[in-house]
Amino acid sequence: VPPKWPSRIKVLLQSFMTAAVGIAVYQYMGAADLGYLDLKSPRSDSVLCLKEWPLRHSLASWTSAELWEDWAAYREDMDTYIRENSCQPRRADIGGEQQCATVHVPLHSMGRRLGNPMGLEHSWTNDTVEIYGYLFLWMTFWMWIMITVHDLALLTVQNRDYILDLRGIKSFFPCWRKLYILLGFRCWKRMVRGGGMLVARSRYVQKPLRLIGIICAPLFLVWSVGTFLAVIMPVVVCFFVIYPVRLSRAAIFLNSLASAIFGIVLTIHCMGFVSSVDHRQTYAVTWSVDSDDGSPCVCGCTYPLSGGTCWTLLLIGAVVAYKSSILAFRCLKGLRRSNWASLMSVLFPVPLTAYEVAWAQPDGQPI
């Protein structure tokens, strides 16, 4: 076996397991089925029937131009789309009762994918779970690449010293200081400490600015988080693509912070889901019927997420925030000094460097 190949294989396997966890989270969020819903609380009273009902999580929706046109049509004007695509089913196919609370549906029709909630005013809140799923999938992909590059480089003698710590980043990438300024943290800290405004070597309005800084602390926090996610993270990813080895450790740290923020936001969002049924995301349960003229027709009712599903999503957000924070803290030692770094994927001890130990007495004589 070639030298270091066992360790490299361990790194590849462990980093892939990290990616597999993120993929599993995405699959849970993006593969909602009938068991995710609270069927006792229909959001719509009457059954709605359409010639074509847009479905969620359909692979064909990404490649079909017609489905993209339908997607834009019903999101732009829901009432017009329903009026142009409505159909009249036979009374026998819906059990003679067009109420969602009492409608009878064939069991074999329950294997269909859940549909988009039609008949309700369109809101982006009905896409929150899918948005979180795609965000976690995107963050997981880059985390997998970053951890693999970092650990494989750390196992090689020639590339180990190329992974930069904070001191090296300040030296090689001085422009990153401007990214820190964009966060607004330095400005807020100066205001809170009473720095005031510097004019002709004199400082003015120190106390008013200090009071403003304390009162506006939540606004500064929102600005910092938004700037970090929308500006700094894309810039860091672009730099990482150009300098994968040098910036792998810093990229892992920042990506972990971003994932932790998304996990905290998902947890808070799901707390709102748990506290109020009206705020939960809704899906449509659909089934095929025959219309009066014999053409295809799809009927459906809209239902919110169940309480159990909301608790599961809340737990996923909390676990993602915790695991991402642990990974970020694990990077701090290597960011402080590069020769203190450890592997990100393999948690059990792996010898990376051997140091000479010389035992001697205080006067320099050997023991």
Side-chain angles (χ1 to χ4, degrees), residues 298-318:
V298 180
C299 295
C301 293
T302 305
Y303 300 91
L305 291 172
S306 65
T309 303
C310 294
W311 278 107
T312 302
L313 293 173
L314 188 150
L315 182 61
I316 288 175

Side-chain angles (χ1 to χ4, degrees), residues 18 22 78 174 206 219-220 291 345 363:
T18 301
M78 180 75 71
Q206 298 178 356
L219 296 179
F220 275 97
S291 61
S345 57
D363 57 357

Side-chain angles (χ1 to χ4, degrees), residues 165-325:
D165 52 13
L166 286 179
R167 185 181 304 175
I169 292 174
K170 292 179 181 179
S171 176
F172 283 92
F173 302 98
C175 61
W176 279 32
R177 296 181 181 179
K178 298 180 181 179
L179 297 178
Y180 175 73
I181 296 175
L182 284 177
L183 292 176
F185 179 73
R186 190 167 71 173
C187 176
W188 175 80
K189 184 170 61 174
R190 184 183 301 169
M191 294 173 62
V192 173
R193 289 183 176 179
M197 297 178 60
L198 183 62
V199 180
R201 297 183 179 181
S202 300
R203 298 187 179 276
Y204 300 93
V205 294
Q206 298 178 356
K207 291 184 178 180
L209 286 181
R210 183 177 183 180
L211 181 61
I212 293 174
I214 295 174
I215 296 175
C216 297
L219 296 179
F220 275 97
L221 178 61
V222 173
W223 169 265
S224 299
V225 173
T227 304
F228 174 72
L229 297 177
V231 178
I232 294 181
M233 279 307 303
V235 172
V236 169
V237 171
C238 293
F239 271 86
F240 170 75
V241 173
I242 301 173
Y243 305 98
V245 176
R246 290 182 180 273
L247 296 176
S248 57
R249 188 175 300 137
I252 293 174
F253 177 73
L254 296 177
N255 198 348
S256 300
L257 289 182
S259 299
I261 292 173
F262 286 134
I264 293 173
V265 173
L266 175 60
T267 303
I268 297 174
H269 203 157
C270 290
M271 288 180 181
F273 284 171
V274 172
S275 61
S276 176
V277 179
D278 295 334
H279 294 157
R280 296 177 185 175
Q281 182 169 332
T282 55
Y283 295 82
V285 178
T286 61
W287 60 93
S288 299
V289 297
D290 293 329
S291 61
D292 289 337
D293 56 2
S295 61
C297 189
V298 180
C299 295
C301 293
T302 305
Y303 300 91
L305 291 172
S306 65
T309 303
C310 294
W311 278 107
T312 302
L313 293 173
L314 188 150
L315 182 61
I316 288 175
V319 171
V320 168
Y322 171 76
K323 296 295 291 184
S324 299
S325 301

